[in-house]
Amino acid sequence: MPDHLTQHLQHAHSLFRQHMNGVGAASMRRKGLSYRISYGIPLYELQSIARGFPTNEALALALLAEDIRESKLLAMLLMPKDAFTEEMIDRWLDACRTTELVEHLSKLLLQYIPNAAEWAEKAMTSDERLRSLAGIQAMSAFLVRHPSWRSDYLRQQVEQLTAQYATSGDDILHHAAMNLLSRLTDIE
C-alpha cells in the first residue's frame, strides 16, 4: 500500500479514537448492530471528518476493506460518485453487512450510478435481504432527486413488495417499502 494511503488510514483511525462515542457504540450493540469495531461516531461527525480527506477511490477502497463501522462509512463519503459504477456494487454490498451500512450506501452512492433506477428496480426483488433493502433505499433516494421519474410498473412492484414484507415479519424491509410507496404516492 502506498505511503500516502497508509498515512491517511492512520490519521482516520486517530480521528476515530478522538471522536469516539462509547454511549453510541453501546446503544448500537444493544440494538443488535454488531460490528467488529465501532466507535459510535454519528454520521454528521463522520461527514465533518471526511472534509479533511481527499475524495479518492483508492482511499475509499482501503477504508472499505477494514472491518470497522466508521471506516466503511468514511469510505462511502470519500468515494467519488462519478467513479462508482454498477460493477462495484457487489463488492460494496458484500462489505456492508448491516442494514445501517446498506441504507447509507444506498443514499450516498447507489442512487448516483448510471441507470440507478433500473438497477434499483431489479435489486428490490432480490432474494438477498440486504440487496433488496439497497434497491428500495436507492430508489427512494433517487426519486427525491428525480421526482418526475416514475413508472406504473414500479408502483405495482412496490405495492407487491409492501404486501409481501407486511406478512414476512421483516419490519425493516416492510418499513422501507412503505416509505417508497409513500414517496411514489406523493409524486402522483
Side-chain angles (χ1 to χ4, degrees), residues 22 46 50 70 90 96 115 146 168:
L46 287 169
E70 287 73 12
D90 286 340
C96 297
N115 302 315
H146 303 280
S168 74

Side-chain angles (χ1 to χ4, degrees), residues 50-81:
R51 290 187 203 103
F53 290 91
T55 302
N56 178 289
E57 183 176 345
L59 177 56
L61 292 174
L63 286 161
L64 180 70
E66 297 184 332
D67 200 9
I68 301 170
R69 173 188 172 267
E70 287 73 12
S71 292
K72 292 181 185 310
L73 289 169
L74 188 58
M76 294 173 207
L77 294 166
L78 298 179
M79 180 67 190
K81 289 176 181 54

Side-chain angles (χ1 to χ4, degrees), residues 24-25 27-29 32-40 66-73 76 95-104:
S27 174
M28 287 180 215
R29 277 191 300 278
L33 292 174
S34 58
Y35 296 101
R36 190 176 73 77
I37 298 174
S38 173
Y39 293 95
E66 297 184 332
D67 200 9
I68 301 170
R69 173 188 172 267
E70 287 73 12
S71 292
K72 292 181 185 310
L73 289 169
M76 294 173 207
C96 297
R97 297 182 310 263
T98 67
T99 56
E100 178 199 24
L101 291 176
V102 169
E103 288 173 353
H104 289 304

Side-chain angles (χ1 to χ4, degrees), residues 175-187:
H175 182 73
M178 287 293 294
N179 284 342
L180 179 53
L181 186 58
S182 173
R183 181 142 302 133
L184 285 168
T185 304
D186 290 346
I187 290 171

